[in-house]
């Protein structure tokens, strides 16, 4: 039996996937409300295919509880934020989860850390906790790192199809854990050592952050000198060895806007490119705000209550708004303006900011300027409603005449 610890964006789909592929799974989370919701037969976030997977897993006997289980394999999938001051990883949730596991696990158990961690985190924090509990690593407890790679919005597909990495001290233990993941994963699964696995995961997200920053920097250059960044990227990408990503209003989520900071925190003297890239991405919401002011001025609009931000989530077609560019923009706007900009998001049903509208038509009616912050399918299907509006399109999805870009 596998005890999956942490039933959030990664732990839940992983637990469901294993359960629906014949593995006996118990999911544990310290959040009582979340466990009650799952036990009432409901999922806790929206994701394509998740509800169906949930039903299959329930049929296969998955259980949810707040209790840690006595078993021979644990998968720890809890958040790993960073310390905003030092930029280093804050491993408090991983540490707490491993301590709880140590209270119940028998000798011979395997502890798999799935949470994203910076290279050396397992050596620095996890190993001492295991040893303090009187276990000998490699004999009494086996340690593995199996970082995930799934993208919100396409998690179920990617869980099935992506290649994976497993890091272990002992290759035979890595191979044993690989079998569990291979129960559902159709991709290649590479077995390596723990520190390499830790580093690969952080490097993958850093690669994307740096490349997004490059696109964002191009957007700034092009805005400064009145060039069309999208046309330029489109043409450059016709070169066989060039593949530039898309500029946007900023970078959100709990991965790409966080993980690269781990490297900056641990290797400040060696991470100039990464550091500057993170700063460029972080500067984008304010860049959009400045753009809004310019467009207001050009169109003689003085009243900020006539500006509406479309989209609160960190990207399209998900309900996750952690670190979202819109929230970053609102925070930055508070410093400049007293009247908050109106916001609307079809995916965010509860009001998370004061100026949030829940009615799309009212939001549109009350906005002279609509700023597209997120390219949800919903706005693509409602382009006709923007016909008589001034649109600031941060996502390059709108081809109406009255459109400004970032
Ligand atoms: N973004 C841009 N321009 C682009 C692409 C993305 O501005 O061209 C923005 C998005 O709008 C969003 C942010 O970047 O705000 C991040 O979105 P994303 O779709 O690039 O990635 P995440 O954070 O949802 O998921 C990433 C993925 N990592 C990589 O692609 C290397 C995913 O595979 C990881 O599993 C996930 O992080 C994670 O959990 O670490």
């Amino acid at each position: 039996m596998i005890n999956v610890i942490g039933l959030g964006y990664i732990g839940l789909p992983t637990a469901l996937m294993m359960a629906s592929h014949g593995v006996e799974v118990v999911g544990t989370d310290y959040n009582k409300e979340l466990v009650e919701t799952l036990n009432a037969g409901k999922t806790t976030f929206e994701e394509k295919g998740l509800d169906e997977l949930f039903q299959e897993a329930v049929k296969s006997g998955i259980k949810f509880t707040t209790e840690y289980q006595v078993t021979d394999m644990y998968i720890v999938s809890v958040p790993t934020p960073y310390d905003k001051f030092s930029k280093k990883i804050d491993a408090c949730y991983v540490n707490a989860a491993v301590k709880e596991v140590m209270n119940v696990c028998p000798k011979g158990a395997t502890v798999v850390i799935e949470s994203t961690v910076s290279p050396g985190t397992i050596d620095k924090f996890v190993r001492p906790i295991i040893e303090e509990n009187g276990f000998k690593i490699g004999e009494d407890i086996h340690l593995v790192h199996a970082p995930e790679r799934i993208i919100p919005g396409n998690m179920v597909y990617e869980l099935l199809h992506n290649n994976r990495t497993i890091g272990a001290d002992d290759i035979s233990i890595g191979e044993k854990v690989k079998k569990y993941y291979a129960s559902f994963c159709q991709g290649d699964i590479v077995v390596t050592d723990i520190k390499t696995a830790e580093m690969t995961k952080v490097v993958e997200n850093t690669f994307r952050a740096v490349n997004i920053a490059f696109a964002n920097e191009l957007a700034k250059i092009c805005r400064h000198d009145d060039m069309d960044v999208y046309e330029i990227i489109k043409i450059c990408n016709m070169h066989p060895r060039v593949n530039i990503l898309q500029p946007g209003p900023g970078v959100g989520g709990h991965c790409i806007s966080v993980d690269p900071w781990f490297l900056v925190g641990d290797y400040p003297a060696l991470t100039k490119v990464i550091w500057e890239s993170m700063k460029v991405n972080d500067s984008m919401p304010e860049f959009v705000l400045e753009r809004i002011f310019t467009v207001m001025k050009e169109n003689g609009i003085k009243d900020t209550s006539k500006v509406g931000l479309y989209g609160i989530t960190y990207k399209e077609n998900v309900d996750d708004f952690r670190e979202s560019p819109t929230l970053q923009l609102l925070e930055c706007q508070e410093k400049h303006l007293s009247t908050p900009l109106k916001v609307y998001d079809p995916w965010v049903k509860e009001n998370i900011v004061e100026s949030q509208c829940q009615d799309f038509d009212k939001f549109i009616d009350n906005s002279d300027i609509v700023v597209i912050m997120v390219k949800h399918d919903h706005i693509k299907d409602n382009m006709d409603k923007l016909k008589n509006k001034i649109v600031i399109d941060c996502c390059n999805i709108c081809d109406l005449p009255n459109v400004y870009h970032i």
Side-chain angles (χ1 to χ4, degrees):
M1 185 252 277
I2 295 186
N3 189 195
V4 176
I5 314 297
L7 298 172
Y9 285 96
I10 302 301
L12 181 64
T14 305
L16 299 178
M17 194 53 97
M18 285 194 167
S20 61
H21 283 79
V23 180
E24 191 188 348
V25 178
V26 176
T28 297
D29 199 294
Y30 71 3
N31 182 340
K32 210 167 148 228
E33 218 179 292
L34 182 142
V35 169
E36 278 168 6
T37 307
L38 294 171
N39 279 331
K42 283 183 254 159
T43 48
T44 39
F45 60 95
E46 279 192 48
E47 175 66 40
K48 194 172 43 187
L50 190 70
D51 286 347
E52 293 79 354
L53 187 64
F54 181 80
Q55 295 310 332
E56 272 177 54
V58 169
K59 253 192 247 149
S60 307
I62 191 169
K63 303 259 176 324
F64 306 106
T65 170
T66 53
E67 303 293 324
Y68 284 67
Q69 305 296 300
V70 179
T71 186
D72 52 5
M73 187 159 155
Y74 298 85
I75 296 182
V76 175
S77 201
V78 294
T80 42
Y82 74 104
D83 179 282
K84 291 240 155 84
F85 181 67
S86 70
K87 311 293 188 201
K88 286 177 193 281
I89 188 168
D90 177 355
C92 64
Y93 297 111
V94 171
N95 295 346
V98 173
K99 277 181 195 158
E100 294 282 356
V101 168
M102 291 301 108
N103 290 336
V104 292
C105 71
K107 276 193 177 176
T110 302
V111 179
V112 181
I113 308 292
E114 211 179 283
S115 308
T116 301
V117 292
S118 53
T121 299
I122 289 180
D123 283 349
K124 196 167 161 194
F125 298 107
V126 177
R127 286 185 201 278
I129 294 171
I130 296 173
E131 281 157 2
E132 275 159 24
N133 279 273
F135 292 113
K136 201 156 187 296
I137 298 169
E139 281 179 26
D140 303 329
I141 297 288
H142 302 291
L143 203 45
V144 171
H145 180 42
E148 55 74 30
R149 279 177 167 162
I150 53 177
I151 196 138
N154 202 22
M155 284 179 159
V156 175
Y157 177 88
E158 291 208 351
L159 258 180
L160 288 168
H161 297 278
N162 283 1
N163 303 324
R164 301 190 66 110
T165 316
I166 289 180
D169 293 336
D170 177 339
I171 293 293
S172 66
I173 297 295
E175 292 293 337
K176 188 188 102 184
V177 170
K178 178 175 166 176
K179 285 205 185 100
Y180 284 100
Y181 283 99
S183 69
F184 63 85
C185 172
Q186 297 165 29
D188 290 338
I189 305 178
V190 174
V191 179
T192 183
D193 64 90
I194 288 180
K195 200 166 181 181
T196 302
E198 292 176 316
M199 183 63 168
T200 54
K201 168 68 196 190
V202 177
V203 166
E204 288 160 11
N205 280 352
T206 303
F207 172 86
R208 195 154 168 88
V210 169
N211 281 283
I212 295 169
F214 179 64
N216 284 334
E217 190 155 282
L218 294 181
K220 287 184 169 182
I221 298 170
C222 292
R223 172 62 39 230
H224 181 76
D225 224 6
D226 201 22
M227 293 180 272
D228 180 347
V229 69
Y230 300 107
E231 177 74 356
I232 289 163
I233 291 176
K234 191 178 87 194
I235 296 169
C236 291
N237 283 350
M238 292 170 83
H239 184 291
R241 281 172 297 283
V242 176
N243 186 13
I244 304 169
L245 294 178
Q246 293 300 306
V251 170
H254 245 218
C255 310
I256 296 194
S257 65
V258 174
D259 303 350
W261 284 122
F262 297 164
L263 294 178
V264 174
D266 285 345
Y267 312 99
L270 305 172
T271 45
K272 301 292 179 233
V273 171
I274 301 170
W275 198 327
E276 287 305 324
S277 300
M278 296 304 278
K279 282 202 277 187
V280 170
N281 289 339
D282 282 354
S283 73
M284 293 312 286
E286 186 156 19
F287 184 73
V288 174
L289 187 60
E290 280 164 17
R291 189 82 184 116
I292 294 171
F293 290 149
T294 311
V295 172
M296 285 176 75
K297 220 168 166 191
E298 264 179 39
N299 289 279
I301 296 169
K302 293 206 172 92
D303 184 358
T304 44
S305 71
K306 289 287 167 196
V307 179
L309 302 178
Y310 176 90
I312 303 176
T313 61
Y314 84 94
K315 67 176 194 181
E316 68 278 10
N317 305 328
V318 298
D319 61 3
D320 185 347
F321 47 78
R322 293 176 297 173
E323 318 283 337
S324 92
T326 301
L327 295 179
Q328 293 176 44
L329 191 152
L330 289 175
E331 203 178 298
C332 159
Q333 171 236 271
E334 267 175 28
K335 294 181 208 148
H336 299 276
L337 296 170
S338 47
T339 322
L341 302 176
K342 268 194 308 295
V343 284
Y344 171 81
D345 193 312
W347 284 78
V348 184
K349 301 278 188 269
E350 89 264 40
N351 278 1
I352 55 158
V353 287
E354 230 176 89
S355 56
Q356 191 172 338
C357 310
Q358 288 295 352
D359 184 315
F360 178 62
D361 289 331
K362 271 194 205 146
F363 164 79
I364 293 289
D365 285 349
N366 293 331
S367 305
D368 291 341
I369 299 181
V370 177
V371 187
I372 303 178
M373 296 291 287
V374 186
K375 54 177 185 220
H376 289 311
D377 288 346
H378 167 267
I379 192 70
K380 293 185 186 164
D381 296 340
N382 280 287
M383 276 300 163
D384 55 316
K385 299 208 167 135
L386 301 179
K387 260 185 199 148
N388 301 318
K389 304 290 168 187
I390 297 161
V391 177
I392 305 178
D393 179 7
C394 303
C395 309
N396 195 29
I397 53 165
C398 178
D399 53 11
L400 296 169
N402 246 352
V403 176
Y404 293 81
H405 290 106
I406 47 172

